[in-house]
Amino acid sequence: MKCQLQCIECRATYDPDEIIYLCPSCGGLLEVVYDLPSIDIDFHTSGECRSVWKYRSLLPVERDPVTICEGGTPLYRIGRLAKDMGAREMFVKHEGLNPTGSFKDRGMTVGVTRALELGMKTVACASTGNTSASLSIYAAKAEIPAVVLLPGGKVALGKVAQALIHGAKVLDIRGNFDQALQLVREVCDEYGFYLLNSINPFRLEGQKTIAFEIADELGWEVPDRVILPVGNAGNISAIYKGFKELRECGITDTVPKMTGIQAEGSRPVVDAIDRGLDRIEPEPNPETIATAIRIGDPVNAAKALRAIRESGGLAISVTDDEIIQAQRDLASLEGIGVEPASATSVAGMRKLLADGVIDSDERIVCITTGHLLKDPTEVVDICAKPIEVDANIEAVRKAVFG
Ligand code: F0G
């Protein structure tokens, strides 16, 4: 195996085949580390679809991947919305165009492949929705059972439907996401299920390919800033790691300022950054319309705080109204349909520009993490209702022309 597991706190290293999610000696988060100079980096593919697996030389698995062609999402150059916000150069990386409609597929293709490599028999996660949808499909493809724990009544319908139809055992917990995560960790310890939340460092390796793709699409250049939503804080940590590895390999020169956006009612990472704390204080009752990031005790907070601080980035929160406005802007000005959590990146960018916190000259990439169709309920509520008309041309004409 070309990698090891390393604790981000005490730096102890472990065999990658050990089934551990936290450092056995100090309890710190683990990450996958490589002897980068010894790796023959080959980012060229022949005949494959543009995907996460283009970057397999920096991924921690050897066997044939469990794949449904994840990654290879578009990086849109944004015109009207950028102008409206006063930005010089803006891109949106639309992760909602992954096979199940969210960036989680990048993590799960690697995570479930790793589960097979380790001989694990069952995979499991807690989820605000997207992780469970993604785990369910990759488990189906890998022909192993999946168990998912959801915060009952707080998961968007599209995501629940995905988890169900692809065959996971779906449990609605009478509690919030943080409680569901605690429970699934206990279940995995007790029954030997493979935990595929973002505390699993192998899963995050798949997600770091967002960084590789952004740099690749910009001609191996790095944007000044990457802005993205923060929930359990895995993705911001993974993307930062990806940019750092590119720099360490001499492929790029710098890393972008990692900028995390949380919802106003659920902002433990923002508070820790504001107050200069080393660890977050969990929010016991997180609330936001963006249910995907309704998380009060993000498990990867220690990694995310480092990513933000080391890169010279920022963390701010946005209100539900700002989220909805950004969702509308993306849809109507740019033709990009996203779920509420995804729109936080753009809502945050607008706020940071308006407040003069970031420079309008920066080259900025916003990541939109999940597709509109995941969570259409609130959209139907806030948009004008369809006009009901009789089934004749006169009625249609009247409705269209008034
Ligand atoms: N955006 C969407 C659409 C998400 O589903 C999530 C997380 C995030 C952003 C935040 O990413 O957790 O890496 O900071 N969803 C998880 C889930 C928690 O269970 O689907 P993060």
Side-chain angles (χ1 to χ4, degrees):
M1 195 37 136
K2 62 187 174 193
C3 65
Q4 284 188 307
L5 289 171
Q6 184 169 49
C7 173
I8 68 160
E9 305 293 346
C10 73
R11 300 273 149 205
T13 56
Y14 300 95
D15 185 320
D17 290 349
E18 273 190 65
I19 312 294
I20 46 174
Y21 307 103
L22 292 175
C23 175
S25 99
C26 80
L29 293 168
L30 298 170
E31 65 180 2
V32 176
V33 292
Y34 306 84
D35 179 21
L36 290 174
S38 73
I39 295 178
D40 181 16
I41 292 171
D42 172 14
F43 285 164
H44 301 283
T45 41
S46 52
E48 264 177 288
C49 57
R50 219 165 118 239
S51 97
V52 162
W53 296 98
K54 174 175 182 184
Y55 308 100
R56 74 174 72 214
S57 47
L58 282 180
L59 292 175
V61 286
E62 311 284 346
R63 63 166 282 149
D64 277 350
V66 180
T67 175
I68 47 171
C69 208
E70 48 293 312
T73 55
L75 182 71
Y76 298 124
R77 181 181 282 276
I78 300 299
R80 291 163 73 196
L81 180 54
K83 194 159 171 240
D84 187 56
M85 294 196 290
R88 180 180 63 88
E89 203 177 8
M90 172 186 182
F91 297 85
V92 164
K93 179 84 171 148
H94 191 12
E95 287 294 295
L97 295 183
N98 273 293
T100 75
S102 89
F103 69 97
K104 306 287 179 176
D105 297 346
R106 292 180 187 270
M108 288 305 175
T109 184
V110 174
V112 172
T113 301
R114 187 72 187 132
L116 295 187
E117 213 163 57
L118 291 165
M120 304 304 283
K121 301 284 182 258
T122 300
V123 286
C125 71
S127 180
T128 55
N130 284 320
T131 300
S132 63
S134 191
L135 182 61
S136 182
I137 199 169
Y138 284 90
K141 189 86 182 153
E143 298 178 52
I144 51 172
V147 177
V148 307
L149 277 62
L150 308 179
K154 291 289 185 183
V155 175
L157 198 60
K159 305 174 189 180
V160 180
Q162 287 178 298
L164 290 170
I165 191 83
H166 295 299
K169 185 168 284 258
V170 180
L171 309 187
D172 260 354
I173 301 297
R174 294 191 193 95
N176 64 24
F177 169 81
D178 302 298
Q179 293 166 309
L181 182 56
Q182 187 50 44
L183 270 171
V184 80
R185 288 171 73 171
E186 286 170 32
V187 169
C188 287
D189 281 351
E190 194 158 334
Y191 300 106
F193 298 169
Y194 194 50
L195 180 62
L196 274 167
N197 279 99
S198 54
I199 196 169
N200 182 319
F202 289 101
R203 197 192 107 185
L204 290 185
E205 289 301 284
Q207 291 172 212
K208 80 182 177 188
T209 60
I210 294 177
F212 296 171
E213 273 182 22
I214 290 172
D216 196 346
E217 284 167 278
L218 294 176
W220 297 111
E221 282 189 12
V222 168
D224 298 312
R225 187 179 299 276
V226 170
I227 308 183
L228 73 159
V230 171
N232 218 13
N235 211 28
I236 193 166
S237 316
I239 296 173
Y240 177 57
K241 183 173 190 284
F243 280 116
K244 269 201 313 187
E245 284 176 2
L246 290 180
R247 185 181 59 188
E248 275 161 49
C249 292
I251 296 171
T252 54
D253 305 331
T254 143
V255 296
K257 299 181 179 74
M258 299 305 300
T259 301
I261 315 295
Q262 294 197 292
E264 194 70 33
S266 176
R267 40 168 277 164
V269 171
V270 177
D271 285 336
I273 291 286
D274 281 357
R275 293 159 59 196
L277 304 177
D278 280 344
R279 51 186 64 222
I280 56 144
E281 284 177 8
E283 161 59 58
N285 296 306
E287 240 352 305
T288 166
I289 193 172
T291 52
I293 53 169
R294 189 172 169 275
I295 296 176
D297 190 7
V299 76
N300 287 297
K303 286 184 179 177
L305 292 176
R306 284 180 197 197
I308 293 165
R309 289 185 175 130
E310 285 176 12
S311 69
L314 288 164
I316 63 158
S317 64
V318 290
T319 64
D320 282 357
D321 285 346
E322 288 166 336
I323 292 172
I324 291 169
Q325 186 57 48
Q327 189 186 22
R328 278 182 186 273
D329 290 345
L330 277 164
S332 61
L333 298 177
E334 299 298 336
I336 301 173
V338 303
E339 66 165 286
S342 303
T344 57
S345 53
V346 172
M349 175 171 169
R350 184 185 283 283
K351 200 169 194 166
L352 288 166
L353 281 164
D355 294 348
V357 178
I358 64 174
D359 192 344
S360 59
D361 264 359
E362 287 186 4
R363 185 185 227 195
I364 298 174
V365 174
C366 280
I367 297 172
T368 54
T369 42
H371 198 279
L372 168 69
L373 295 177
K374 290 278 194 173
D375 189 3
T377 317
E378 142 277 339
V379 171
V380 174
D381 289 344
I382 59 170
C383 291
K385 300 279 165 289
I387 309 163
E388 207 177 316
V389 296
D390 289 334
N392 64 61
I393 191 71
E394 205 36 57
V396 171
R397 188 179 297 136
K398 212 169 148 208
V400 173
F401 298 107

